[in-house]
């Protein structure tokens, strides 16, 4: 590529700038988690592990973490079932309305989070008159998590040659057996990756959650509620470190599982979008 | 049962689609329809209860209240400024990844950009709250040069949104630039075009759909957010008004009416982005 040496250096500079911009804030929060003083001034005067113990003892944060795990697990299971079914239907054959199905699956991500949140809130309260709580959070999260499972399984099914299933059936396996013994093992890592991403998406989500949560708190909502309490900030910093780790570890694992398909890094722009709305 | 299904592909399809379409097509689209209808409901002045009578009162209120018009204008303006800033920041790194970096380096950079995208949203906003505060990192660093940071306010929301959505812009631009064959750039140079001319006449026309694709995210995500404005400013965005009316003010119909505005804005934005070829670049 005909690019002058000076231009190359400018582009390197721009790359470094963008990376520094992306990482410095995250590093600052991590550093503050070890801050020995209660107040959050810069520069930090000394380091300590003290707040990690205090954070583990904080019942509010623990309850919120527990709530987030339950919601994430529920949403992941629902998304796994629905996303896989949809991917199998769409990849299997062409049918009338096939494009509408993929559109429908992406829609909760394409619309701003307040719209999805408001819509569910209005329906729960005004139509079904149900109490907001764990169940409504799971319904909300599953709605926008379906797409990541769908993306991963659909990408895998596209790569999967239909002849292996046909071979199994020629050899006498029924539909159930060929699914259990052939399709499922070949899809396993894509399913695990999709599930991990769905969990990460749910674990992180805050906007739709604020409309479906009722009186409880998920971890992001606990953080949001506590950032305006100066006394709580040392504990918030530690919880923040946990929140980063708990959302990045599943994503990293999912990336390792589906490297050839690139659904984590490539399709992530679309898929990750809604969670952060 | 399995054998009966095997002979009926339509029934098979129906069984596969019943769950997902039931959930998204009936429950989710149904909720969106409820939201749309709720925008035409009203609040009883005396009891404060929602009355399911249809009328245009809420839209009348929105149109007649100058503050609401200002808030819509501000949200759209900041979303546009965030989009511009992200495009400028994303282009060099995307170009470096697509055309200069070694395959190994490229792989590392892709992961390096994707990870912050997935790192907890609320933590990232909180990080900026810490950085921007009076005794925070930014003022401390800028203090060396005798300058002060923006503090909390509209500028802070612009900065934080630019930060939050940057990866959503980098990835589509990278994908778009990677599709330009190196030989095309070489050919342009061999035919005597200066690097500037190659950039303007070869790279840019092929990068614009990708930038438009990325801008859908940066624009739409800013339009729908209310947490960031809440944490780094006291500035009101569309989302703040919606949230306040669902919660504190308990005026669901007005909130629903206001929530239709970002949807309408996004429909127009998507139509414009489609003309620039954004959908082919997604």
């Amino acid at each position: 590529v005909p690019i002058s040496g000076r231009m190359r250096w400018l582009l390197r500079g721009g790359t470094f700038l963008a990376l520094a911009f992306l990482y410095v804030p995250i590093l600052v929060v991590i550093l503050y988690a070890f801050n020995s003083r209660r107040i959050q001034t810069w520069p930090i005067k000394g380091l300590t592990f003290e707040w990690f113990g205090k954070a583990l003892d904080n019942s509010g944060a623990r309850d919120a973490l527990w709530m987030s795990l339950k919601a994430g697990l529920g949403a992941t299971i629902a998304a796994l079932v629905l996303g896989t079914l949809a991917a199998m239907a769409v990849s299997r054959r062409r049918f009338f309305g096939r494009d509408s199905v993929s559109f429908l699956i992406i829609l909760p991500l394409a619309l701003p989070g307040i719209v999805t949140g408001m819509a569910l809130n209005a329906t729960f309260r005004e139509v079904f008159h149900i109490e907001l709580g764990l169940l409504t959070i799971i319904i909300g999260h599953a709605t926008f998590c379906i797409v990541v499972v769908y993306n991963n399984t659909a990408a895998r099914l596209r790569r999967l040659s239909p002849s292996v299933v046909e071979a199994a059936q020629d050899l006498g396996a029924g539909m159930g057996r060929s699914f259990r013994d052939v399709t499922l093992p070949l899809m396993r890592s894509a399913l695990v990756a999709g599930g991990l991403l769905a969990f990460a998406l749910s674990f992180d989500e805050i906007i739709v959650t604020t409309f479906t949560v009722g009186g409880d708190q998920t971890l992001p909502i606990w953080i949001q509620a506590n950032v305006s309490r100066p006394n709580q900030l040392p504990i918030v910093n530690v919880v923040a470190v946990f929140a980063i780790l708990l959302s990045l570890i599943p994503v990293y694992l999912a990336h390792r599982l589906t490297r050839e398909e690139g659904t984590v890094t490539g399709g992530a722009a679309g898929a990750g979008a809604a969670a952060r709305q | 049962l399995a054998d009966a299904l095997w002979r009926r592909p339509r029934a098979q399809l129906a069984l596969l689609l019943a769950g997902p379409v039931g959930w998204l097509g009936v429950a989710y689209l149904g909720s969106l329809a409820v939201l749309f209808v709720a925008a035409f409901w009203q609040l009883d002045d005396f009891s404060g209860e929602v009355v399911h009578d249809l009328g245009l009162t809420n839209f009348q209120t929105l149109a007649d209240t100058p503050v609401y018009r200002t808030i819509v204008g501000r949200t759209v303006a900041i979303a546009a400024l965030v989009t511009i800033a992200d495009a400028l920041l994303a282009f060099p790194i995307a170009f470096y990844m697509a055309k200069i970096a070694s395959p190994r380096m490229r792989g590392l950079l892709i992961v390096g950009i994707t990870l912050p995208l997935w790192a907890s949203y609320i933590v990232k906003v909180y990080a900026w709250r810490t950085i921007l505060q009076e005794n925070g990192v930014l003022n401390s660093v800028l203090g060396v040069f005798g300058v002060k940071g923006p503090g909390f306010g509209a500028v802070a929301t612009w900065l934080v949104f630019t930060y939050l959505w940057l990866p959503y812009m980098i990835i589509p631009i990278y994908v778009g630039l990677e599709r330009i064959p190196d030989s095309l750039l070489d050919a342009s140079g061999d035919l005597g075009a200066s690097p500037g001319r190659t950039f303007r006449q070869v790279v840019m026309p092929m990068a614009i759909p990708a930038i438009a694709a990325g801008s859908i995210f940066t624009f739409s995500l800013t339009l729908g957010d209310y947490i960031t404005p809440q944490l780094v400013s006291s500035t009101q965005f569309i989302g703040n008004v919606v949230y306040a009316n669902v919660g504190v003010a308990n005026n669901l119909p007005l909130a629903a009416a206001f929530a239709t505005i970002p949807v309408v804005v996004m429909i127009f934005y998507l139509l414009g982005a489609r003309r620039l070829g954004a959908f082919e670049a997604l």
Side-chain angles (χ1 to χ4, degrees):
Chain A
V1 187
I3 298 166
S4 70
R6 203 168 58 114
M7 200 60 210
R8 271 167 206 268
W9 279 108
L10 277 176
L11 288 170
R12 277 199 190 103
T15 303
F16 178 78
L17 192 79
L19 282 178
F21 186 47
L22 286 176
Y23 279 92
V24 167
I26 295 173
L27 295 178
V28 167
V29 172
I30 295 175
L31 199 58
Y32 268 122
F34 300 95
N35 184 8
S36 60
R37 293 172 69 189
R38 193 173 267 280
I39 48 166
Q40 312 288 305
T41 52
W42 190 266
I44 285 171
K45 297 280 192 286
L47 301 176
T48 175
F49 277 104
E50 186 194 341
W51 307 116
F52 280 79
K54 294 224 166 97
L56 291 176
D57 286 340
N58 187 299
S59 63
R62 270 210 320 258
D63 291 347
L65 175 67
W66 185 229
M67 188 70 177
S68 273
L69 292 176
K70 280 191 291 193
L73 206 64
T76 303
I77 292 169
L80 270 174
V81 173
L82 297 171
T84 310
L85 287 173
M88 288 179 66
V90 167
S91 68
R92 187 159 296 199
R93 41 189 277 139
R94 315 205 154 264
F95 56 88
F96 180 73
R98 186 166 174 261
D99 288 342
S100 331
V101 173
S102 5
F103 174 76
L104 204 56
I105 288 169
I106 294 163
L107 191 65
L109 283 200
L111 286 178
I114 42 165
V115 174
T116 298
M118 268 291 305
L120 293 173
N121 182 285
T123 310
F124 292 146
R125 281 170 43 183
E126 295 295 318
V127 181
F128 293 110
H129 302 283
I130 39 176
E131 198 78 20
L132 298 180
L134 181 61
L135 180 71
T136 55
I137 300 175
I138 291 176
I139 294 174
H141 285 195
T143 303
F144 59 76
C145 284
I146 293 174
V147 67
V148 287
V149 174
Y150 170 83
N151 273 349
N152 274 279
T153 37
R156 176 63 54 90
L157 286 169
R158 267 198 299 276
R159 283 155 44 91
L160 211 156
S161 152
S163 55
V164 280
V165 178
E166 284 160 15
Q169 287 170 349
D170 286 346
L171 292 169
M175 229 176 53
R177 178 106 195 266
S178 69
F179 177 77
R180 201 177 56 236
D181 288 350
V182 180
T183 315
L184 200 59
L186 287 168
M187 288 201 331
R188 191 175 293 137
S189 64
L191 284 173
V192 174
L196 286 166
L197 291 181
F199 182 83
L201 213 53
S202 157
F203 192 76
D204 229 18
E205 213 286 335
I206 181 157
I207 293 195
V208 175
T209 316
T210 53
F211 286 97
T212 51
V213 70
D216 296 312
Q217 286 182 327
T218 59
L219 203 62
I221 289 182
W222 183 87
I223 296 176
Q224 185 204 13
N226 280 279
V227 293
S228 46
R229 299 187 188 155
N231 263 331
Q232 286 280 60
L233 290 184
I235 292 172
V236 172
N237 292 329
V238 175
V239 172
V241 172
F242 277 105
I244 293 175
L245 286 177
L246 277 169
S247 48
L248 286 193
I249 291 170
V251 174
Y252 180 74
L253 293 175
H255 169 70
R256 308 246 351 180
L257 283 169
T258 57
R259 229 182 283 183
E260 306 87 44
E261 280 134 347
T263 37
V264 177
T265 43
R276 283 118 249 263
Q277 278 167 15
Chain B
L1 177 76
D3 286 331
L5 275 174
W6 176 236
R7 272 177 242 113
R8 288 188 185 76
R10 284 195 165 277
Q12 223 182 88
L13 193 68
L15 211 63
L16 286 175
L17 282 174
V21 169
W23 188 296
L24 292 170
V26 180
Y28 182 60
L29 284 188
S31 312
L32 289 176
V34 170
L35 175 67
F36 184 73
V37 174
F40 298 91
W41 290 342
Q42 25 246 308
L43 218 55
D44 187 284
D45 285 340
F46 293 104
S47 64
E49 295 283 315
V50 176
V51 186
H52 295 198
D53 293 334
L54 300 181
L56 289 168
T57 337
N58 303 308
F59 293 96
Q60 192 69 47
T61 313
L62 293 183
D64 290 348
T65 317
V67 148
Y68 291 150
R69 286 204 301 268
T70 313
I71 289 172
V72 172
R74 175 192 298 138
T75 308
V76 172
I78 291 187
L81 291 172
V82 166
T83 301
I84 294 167
D86 272 337
L88 291 175
L89 269 169
F91 200 88
I93 183 168
F95 194 90
Y96 180 80
M97 284 162 67
K99 293 292 160 212
I100 298 176
S102 64
R104 198 183 130 74
M105 187 62 173
R106 183 179 304 158
L108 282 174
L109 284 172
I110 291 173
V111 175
I113 284 154
T114 317
L115 283 184
L117 179 116
W118 287 90
S120 173
Y121 163 91
I122 188 74
V123 169
K124 286 183 283 191
V125 182
Y126 167 61
W128 277 100
R129 198 178 146 93
T130 324
I131 291 169
L132 289 166
Q133 63 167 314
E134 189 60 34
N135 299 314
V137 180
L138 193 68
N139 279 341
S140 167
V141 173
L142 291 177
V144 178
F145 309 99
V147 193
K148 235 175 148 284
F152 294 160
V155 179
T157 60
W158 167 76
L159 185 66
V160 177
F161 280 135
T162 302
Y163 169 79
L164 288 169
W165 319 136
L166 180 60
Y168 294 104
M169 186 63 101
I170 298 176
I171 294 169
I173 298 184
Y174 158 72
V175 172
L177 291 176
E178 220 210 351
R179 284 184 195 155
I180 306 177
D182 288 356
S183 56
L184 211 61
L185 304 184
D186 290 330
S188 169
D190 292 344
L191 290 168
S194 67
R197 184 142 180 231
T198 304
F199 180 75
R200 276 195 312 276
Q201 298 196 331
V202 180
V203 177
M204 273 325 266
M206 299 187 79
I208 280 173
I211 296 173
S215 80
I216 295 174
F217 298 114
T218 56
F219 194 81
S220 142
L221 290 169
T222 310
L223 222 51
D225 199 311
Y226 73 90
I227 309 262
T228 296
Q230 206 178 61
L231 289 189
V232 299
S233 76
S234 48
T235 317
Q236 296 264 312
F237 278 57
I238 293 175
N240 299 90
V241 179
V242 172
Y243 185 71
N245 276 299
V246 173
V248 188
N250 207 11
N251 189 344
L252 187 73
L254 187 67
F258 217 63
T260 57
I261 295 175
V263 177
V264 173
V265 173
M266 266 329 283
I267 289 171
F268 282 105
Y269 195 88
L270 288 172
L271 289 175
R274 194 174 65 179
R275 294 192 67 165
L276 291 172
F279 292 152
E280 284 77 44
L282 270 177

